[in-house]
Structure formats: C-alpha cells, structure tokens
Amino acid sequence: MPETERMGAANLGEKDDFEKARAEAKCFVQEKYGLRRDPDARIFVFLGRWVKQKGVDYIADVTEWMLSTHPNAQLVMIGPVGDCFGSYARAKLEALRDEGRFKESLF
C-alpha cells in the first residue's frame, strides 16, 4: 500500500469511519456527475484518453448490456477524445444517455 494511502487509512481509525467516508465520497461523485443517488451502486470509472489503445470502443459497446443487466451499476467516463475510436465511443455513449434509459447511470 502506498505511503499516502497508509497514512490516510491510519487517520480513519475504525472501520465505521472508513465506511462513512466511503459513503460520503460515493454520494459526492453521484451528485457531481448527475448520477442517481444510490448507496448500493457500483460506480465504474474510466479516466484517460479515449483511444483504441485503451479500449473505449469496447466499453461503449458493452455499456448498454452492463447497465441493463446490472441496474445498480453506474459508469463515469472522463478524459479527452484522442482518435476515431474515442469519437465513436463518445457518440455511442451520448446516444445512450440522451435516449433517457441510462440518464442517471451514465456520465
């Protein structure tokens, strides 16, 4: 465990403190990105360039299945589009979000 994480974990003390901090962080992310507030949600985050090398086209292709099959899943995609695969992913994810079914599960 990196030293910064170890220090942060040590400052939390009890497991209850950690769980409370985790719940607050999840709530913050859900509010910031317009996701449904759900303490039981699983938030999947992609942070990076939207390029073929990172597989964003595959992520875009499985998103509808993932969010339909796992109703407590939420997806946050952050980063700049870097190639045509990134453009494809952005267009596909925006279309999914804009159709309304995944409005509160996809950013």
Side-chain angles (χ1 to χ4, degrees):
M1 176 183 292
E3 187 63 30
T4 54
E5 289 182 22
R6 190 173 309 128
M7 289 171 46
N11 290 338
L12 287 174
E14 299 296 319
K15 183 179 178 185
D16 293 338
D17 294 337
F18 174 77
E19 292 299 328
K20 181 180 177 189
R22 183 177 176 196
E24 289 171 359
K26 182 182 279 192
C27 181
F28 173 80
V29 168
Q30 289 170 331
E31 286 180 10
K32 180 170 179 70
Y33 295 109
L35 303 173
R36 176 184 69 257
R37 285 187 66 181
D38 179 357
D40 297 322
R42 294 284 184 124
I43 302 176
F44 296 87
V45 178
F46 173 88
L47 178 62
R49 292 175 300 123
W50 292 33
V51 294
K52 178 181 182 176
Q53 179 183 23
K54 310 259 184 195
V56 292
D57 52 325
Y58 295 124
I59 294 170
D61 287 340
V62 302
T63 296
E64 183 173 11
W65 167 84
M66 182 179 81
L67 296 178
S68 296
T69 306
H70 305 282
N72 68 334
Q74 297 177 337
L75 178 62
V76 177
M77 301 281 292
I78 301 171
V81 170
D83 63 15
C84 62
F85 291 87
S87 296
Y88 164 81
R90 181 176 62 191
K92 187 158 188 172
L93 294 171
E94 285 176 349
L96 281 174
R97 186 191 63 221
D98 293 346
E99 78 179 32
R101 280 186 16 211
F102 304 114
K103 182 179 173 187
E104 295 182 325
S105 298
L106 179 60
F107 174 83

